[in-house]
Amino acid sequence: MPKPREITVSVIKADVGGWVGHATMHHELMQVAERALLVAKKSKLLVDFRVTHCGDDLELIMTHTRGTENPKIHKLAWDVFMKATRKAQQLKLYAAGQDLLSDSFSGNIKGMGPGCAEMSFVERKSEPLIIFMADKTSPGAYNLPVFRMFGDPFNTAGLVIDPSMHDGFTFGVLDVLENREVRLSCPEEMYDLLVFLGAPSRYMVHTVYRKKVGEVAAAASTQKLNLMAGRYVGKDDPVLIVRTQSGFPAVGEALEAFAFPHLVEGWMRGSHHGPLMPVATEDAQPTRFDGPPRVIAHGFQLNRGILVGPVDFFGDPSFDLTRQRAMDIADYMRRHGPFEPHRLPLAEMEYTTLPQVKERLEKRFKKPKD
Ligand code: 13P
Ligand code: 13P
Ligand code: MG
Ligand code: MG
């Protein structure tokens, strides 16, 4: 029997220039991306696509049949980002080409700056999915909500009452410092899992599998630009794909995981803790202290690879209270000014003046008198 044809969902994103500053995306950059992906769809490289943005990040949502990490798909995305960068340069937008760490494509977009989340699966009878996209934060931001969706029965009723979810899920966690991963089974290894997920600046959930059949349930981008470049190049605003219903969390269970505006790294200059605020796409325009960090959620029904959507989920008024809480927390955090824990600990800062200040004051440091 031939294997049923798998469809691949690839979400690849980059900040190629902000309008104004790091606030949002200029429509001409979106047009460049739309045109290029339409050509790719006509040539049958893509089955379907959507171009959108979260704040200053250009998001390419693509479906195709070539599997994950496909060089043609990654090159397509890279070329779109290069073209959009040239447009950003013409318009003198801010930090044009910010996330592109290389001048030439080398086969796989991972490690070159853009963020990438991909998964392949055989489409179910009905295939509802949600693409989460965030700005002014970093990949570890999804650890808490992904744990809630797939591991926490107080969030996801299905873990308790749906026989097809009751066995739980396996979490793939990446150690970004040592570049190695571990798979942990939930609920049996939940406490081990939380040792890692609770330290999101180093350990990041990148894939979740349904335990029963090993089927992929979620995939997140885990690229950390600051580790890749070894210097400040902007935060690596992450994306996450989640399959929902029929053996996976219901749409509302996946969304419920964002009802609590938890603290994430990012915000101003990529160097502060702030609440992650779920918003409608048109409200993903971080302004207050370049924030607070935002997340949007686009729902699609897949129909033989065609993206039927999006439904802009976080526009719903049921998230108003979350947004209000987020702004109360934002206010509270801001009053710490340059103090931790609003400012990130030294090792996590994207900007720092510490070496220069220390060097200048070196001679004035003395052993304390007892
Ligand atoms: P329906 O009965 O409306 O399909 O809802 C099922 C469900 O999963 C709701 O969370
Ligand atoms: P982005 O990572 O979204 O470009 O933001 C960078 C920044 O410095 C915001 O203050
Ligand atoms: Mg930017
Ligand atoms: Mg950004």
Side-chain angles (χ1 to χ4, degrees):
M1 275 249 296
K3 238 179 109 186
R5 202 136 178 241
E6 287 197 334
I7 192 86
T8 305
V9 180
S10 299
V11 183
I12 307 185
K13 50 77 50 184
D15 178 344
V16 291
W19 181 56
V20 170
H22 292 283
T24 187
M25 166 90 22
H26 194 279
H27 49 88
E28 287 191 44
L29 268 54
M30 304 264 289
Q31 277 168 10
V32 167
E34 289 270 358
R35 278 193 215 115
L37 294 190
L38 191 61
V39 171
K41 184 176 170 179
K42 283 191 175 144
S43 77
K44 305 260 187 286
L45 180 57
L46 296 181
V47 175
D48 201 9
F49 71 89
R50 286 288 184 285
V51 174
T52 187
H53 73 99
C54 182
D56 63 358
D57 289 84
L58 182 57
E59 317 274 353
L60 312 179
I61 301 170
M62 301 174 284
T63 58
H64 53 95
T65 52
R66 289 161 195 269
T68 58
E69 311 222 356
N70 179 272
K72 283 195 174 146
I73 299 296
H74 282 209
K75 175 142 195 329
L76 171 67
W78 180 259
D79 290 345
V80 170
F81 295 140
M82 293 297 281
K83 266 195 199 130
T85 295
R86 283 195 287 278
K87 175 58 76 181
Q89 285 163 342
Q90 279 169 21
L91 294 168
K92 283 185 66 178
L93 297 181
Y94 194 67
Q98 172 180 283
D99 288 353
L100 308 186
L101 303 183
S102 166
D103 295 327
S104 54
F105 182 70
S106 65
N108 190 322
I109 209 160
K110 286 187 182 166
M112 299 185 69
C116 173
E118 295 183 290
M119 56 163 73
S120 293
F121 50 82
V122 176
E123 237 181 67
R124 294 168 291 165
K125 200 169 79 191
S126 179
E127 186 65 61
L129 19 112
I130 308 176
I131 319 277
F132 294 93
M133 296 161 272
D135 188 31
K136 303 295 176 279
T137 182
S138 70
Y142 291 126
N143 281 11
L144 186 148
V146 168
F147 175 73
R148 286 250 164 91
M149 284 177 215
F150 292 97
D152 180 1
F154 279 75
N155 181 88
T156 297
L159 293 168
V160 180
I161 64 176
D162 180 349
S164 67
M165 289 177 74
H166 198 72
D167 285 346
F169 291 87
T170 302
F171 290 67
V173 181
L174 182 74
D175 174 349
V176 284
L177 268 191
E178 297 194 9
N179 194 28
R180 51 186 200 153
E181 66 157 83
V182 61
R183 284 191 189 189
L184 292 162
S185 196
C186 203
E188 309 89 285
E189 298 179 296
M190 181 192 291
Y191 299 156
D192 294 340
L193 176 66
L194 286 170
V195 170
F196 298 112
L197 291 190
S201 56
R202 173 161 179 180
Y203 298 98
M204 294 162 195
V205 62
H206 65 83
T207 320
V208 180
Y209 304 92
R210 197 164 138 193
K211 221 185 294 168
K212 217 171 192 168
V213 275
E215 207 177 350
V216 65
S221 63
T222 44
Q223 289 75 28
K224 271 204 98 173
L225 280 175
N226 55 340
L227 291 177
M228 276 161 13
R231 63 192 160 81
Y232 178 73
V233 287
K235 271 283 175 195
D236 12 11
D237 302 316
V239 290
L240 166 72
I241 310 170
V242 177
R243 296 174 75 193
T244 63
Q245 304 288 155
S246 310
F248 299 118
V251 166
E253 288 168 338
L255 298 173
E256 174 71 2
F258 289 87
F260 166 62
H262 68 296
L263 292 174
V264 297
E265 291 181 359
W267 207 346
M268 173 57 74
R269 297 171 188 270
S271 302
H272 294 80
H273 279 124
L276 186 64
M277 185 159 82
V279 290
T281 309
E282 63 175 358
D283 296 327
Q285 184 181 290
T287 48
R288 194 169 159 202
F289 202 54
D290 284 1
R294 308 291 156 111
V295 60
I296 60 173
H298 285 196
F300 296 97
Q301 287 289 153
L302 264 197
N303 180 6
R304 299 166 185 85
I306 300 291
L307 291 155
V308 182
V311 175
D312 195 0
F313 281 127
F314 288 146
D316 190 78
S318 63
F319 282 91
D320 284 351
L321 186 61
T322 305
R323 289 187 270 272
Q324 183 57 51
R325 286 212 170 109
M327 287 318 302
D328 289 343
I329 295 163
D331 241 12
Y332 171 83
M333 294 301 281
R334 282 298 302 126
R335 287 183 63 181
H336 292 79
F339 283 75
E340 297 179 16
H342 180 31
R343 192 180 78 172
L344 294 188
L346 291 174
E348 288 301 321
M349 296 249 291
E350 306 248 350
Y351 275 76
T352 180
T353 44
L354 187 74
Q356 297 98 295
V357 174
K358 255 174 86 179
E359 195 186 300
R360 188 160 45 75
L361 298 182
E362 192 53 41
K363 290 206 175 72
R364 288 166 56 183
F365 274 93
K366 310 268 189 264
K367 280 257 167 315
K369 292 191 185 92
D370 296 326

